[in-house]
Amino acid sequence: MTVSDFDSFLTELPKCEHHVHLEGTLSPELLIDLAKRNNIKLPEEHPPTIEALYDRYSKFSCLQDFLDHYYVGMSVLIYEKDFEDLAYNYFVKAHQDGVHHAEVFFDPQAHLERGIKLTDVVSGITKARTRAESDFGITTKLIMCFLRHIPSSDALTTLHAAVPHITTGHITGIGLDSSELGFPPHLFKEAYATARELNLELNYTAHAGEEGDHTYVLGALDDLKVERIDHGIRSADDDATLKRLAANNTLLTVCPMSNLKLRAVKSIGDIPLRKFLEYGVPFSINSDDPAYFGGYILDNYKEVHKHFNFDLATWIKIAENNIHGSWINQDRKDVLLARVADVRKKYIHLA
């Protein structure tokens, strides 16, 4: 077995991405292009060139440092076509990386507070999703996230504004993101409960256990009644939390390169993936905000393999858990599971 053999296997392994923020796929190239196209003057302290942006993005000191740049970058997204270009560019890269199904996040409040129409945001992303399925066969879901740092009452307003897009099936999930510390899940209990009271066909997730400790994970499970946990790496600090996640087959959407870049861990090898496997906690590997963290999903797979050297059977199990944890019907799951089986058969010599 050579490194190139396993790289080929990881490239071909069918992937489901569950934790990627479309606004976080805004590459420096597209950011600069849209700033010019939309006549947006960026702050004077903002890196002025593509090269300077890449350099600055390599030096984030913490989550808030990243978020400060993330929201400035978002300011270039104005029109429906901007959001279509943003999303489609991600799907092109995802296809190249072997993604067959993607459940993507977007932050409606960050656009609404800038005076952008929600219809333009959702319509642009929906056009890109339609193109991606036609061009690459990628199935997709769209998850709207509430921003923790904005008062929870605004989440309710945003939810009601999104109802027309939920009833058409263009938005199929609710999430919670942004700065975690100081904003525990229970603050958004009413927003999640209201979504359920509206009898909307939605799935539910939340960022928890990245900066915050395992109690944030428990809060997301108990107060928000989520089906998945985004990040969740601090779950490993509490055996009872791990056992609960395993018993309920709750998927953690782990983002290794993001955890490293934002200094949640000192090394990707410190992410408790082996402990999750030991306890039977399913997890997927994702890219989070890849334009800012220097790696898309295949880069994350390769970094995990470099640090953990998982064998073929473990990678197949991870891929299968990706599929089982996706919010798709059983027929689509069966198709993707069959593709994983085909790749396993092709690369069985690596076992």
Side-chain angles (χ1 to χ4, degrees):
M1 181 182 69
T2 67
V3 171
S4 61
D5 286 336
F6 225 98
D7 278 354
S8 296
F9 162 69
L10 291 176
T11 301
E12 292 188 40
L13 189 63
K15 304 167 190 70
C16 299
E17 183 144 43
H18 306 114
H19 189 152
V20 59
H21 301 266
L22 286 177
E23 295 90 348
T25 69
L26 180 64
S27 68
E29 291 86 353
L30 184 58
L31 190 158
I32 297 296
D33 180 59
L34 289 179
K36 292 177 181 176
R37 188 164 95 187
N38 294 333
N39 196 28
I40 300 295
K41 183 172 175 55
L42 296 167
E44 294 219 354
E45 65 274 16
H46 191 268
T49 66
I50 292 169
E51 293 76 15
L53 280 168
Y54 276 113
D55 180 65
R56 183 61 183 83
Y57 292 172
S58 70
K59 300 174 181 177
F60 293 130
S61 61
C62 63
L63 177 60
Q64 192 57 54
D65 185 22
F66 152 66
L67 289 172
D68 290 342
H69 287 79
Y70 176 75
Y71 291 122
V72 170
M74 200 183 298
S75 68
V76 305
L77 297 165
I78 305 293
Y79 303 107
E80 179 183 295
K81 183 68 166 79
D82 302 338
F83 291 97
E84 181 181 356
D85 289 348
L86 173 74
Y88 189 74
N89 284 357
Y90 160 72
F91 291 128
V92 169
K93 179 58 178 168
H95 172 64
Q96 294 169 349
D97 280 4
V99 172
H100 290 247
H101 177 69
E103 298 177 359
V104 299
F105 297 131
F106 82 112
D107 292 326
Q109 290 159 292
H111 307 300
L112 289 170
E113 69 179 6
R114 298 185 294 117
I116 309 301
K117 295 179 180 178
L118 185 58
T119 296
D120 289 341
V121 180
V122 176
S123 294
I125 295 171
T126 300
K127 286 182 178 180
R129 292 172 58 204
T130 301
R131 288 172 61 194
E133 183 160 8
S134 175
D135 294 348
F136 310 125
I138 297 177
T139 50
T140 64
K141 300 284 185 180
L142 182 60
I143 303 166
M144 60 175 277
C145 289
F146 300 131
L147 295 172
R148 279 183 148 102
H149 67 277
I150 294 178
S152 56
S153 57
D154 192 73
L156 282 166
T157 302
T158 303
L159 172 65
H160 287 294
V163 166
H165 305 290
I166 296 171
T167 55
T168 59
H170 292 151
I171 295 173
T172 56
I174 297 290
L176 179 65
D177 63 8
S178 190
S179 304
E180 185 178 3
L181 289 178
F183 301 99
H186 71 81
L187 296 175
F188 294 85
K189 185 174 182 177
E190 184 180 2
Y192 276 69
T194 299
R196 288 186 169 89
E197 289 166 5
L198 291 171
N199 291 318
L200 304 171
E201 293 187 12
L202 288 166
N203 294 104
Y204 299 89
T205 187
H207 286 48
E210 176 191 17
E211 289 183 303
D213 62 22
H214 73 278
T215 63
Y216 281 70
V217 175
L218 295 176
L221 295 172
D222 293 332
D223 295 325
L224 308 184
K225 304 190 185 317
V226 298
E227 304 155 59
R228 283 203 309 237
I229 296 290
D230 301 315
H231 289 300
I233 59 172
R234 303 302 173 207
S235 304
D237 298 334
D238 182 69
D239 284 356
T241 301
L242 286 173
K243 289 176 182 177
R244 179 174 174 182
L245 292 168
N248 294 323
N249 212 31
T250 303
L251 186 78
L252 306 182
T253 68
V254 180
C255 304
M257 293 180 72
S258 167
N259 292 160
L260 180 65
K261 287 282 187 175
L262 298 183
R263 309 191 183 188
V265 295
K266 292 181 179 179
S267 165
I268 285 175
D270 294 335
I271 299 170
L273 299 183
R274 291 195 187 280
K275 196 165 189 179
F276 293 152
L277 290 167
E278 175 190 346
Y279 276 77
V281 177
F283 61 85
S284 61
I285 295 169
N286 308 271
S287 63
D288 201 358
D289 299 280
Y292 293 86
F293 300 148
Y296 282 76
I297 190 169
L298 181 57
D299 301 304
N300 278 270
Y301 271 60
K302 289 180 177 180
E303 283 296 311
V304 166
H305 187 65
K306 181 171 128 181
H307 286 83
F308 290 91
N309 196 31
F310 289 146
D311 60 17
L312 182 80
T314 301
W315 277 113
I316 293 297
K317 182 65 175 176
I318 291 169
E320 291 173 342
N321 284 341
N322 273 226
I323 295 164
H324 292 306
S326 295
W327 294 332
I328 47 179
N329 62 37
Q330 191 60 49
D331 286 346
R332 179 61 176 160
K333 288 183 180 181
D334 290 343
V335 168
L336 296 182
L337 289 168
R339 290 177 181 171
V340 170
D342 288 342
V343 171
R344 179 187 178 279
K345 183 177 180 182
K346 179 177 178 178
Y347 288 93
I348 193 64
H349 62 283
L350 299 180

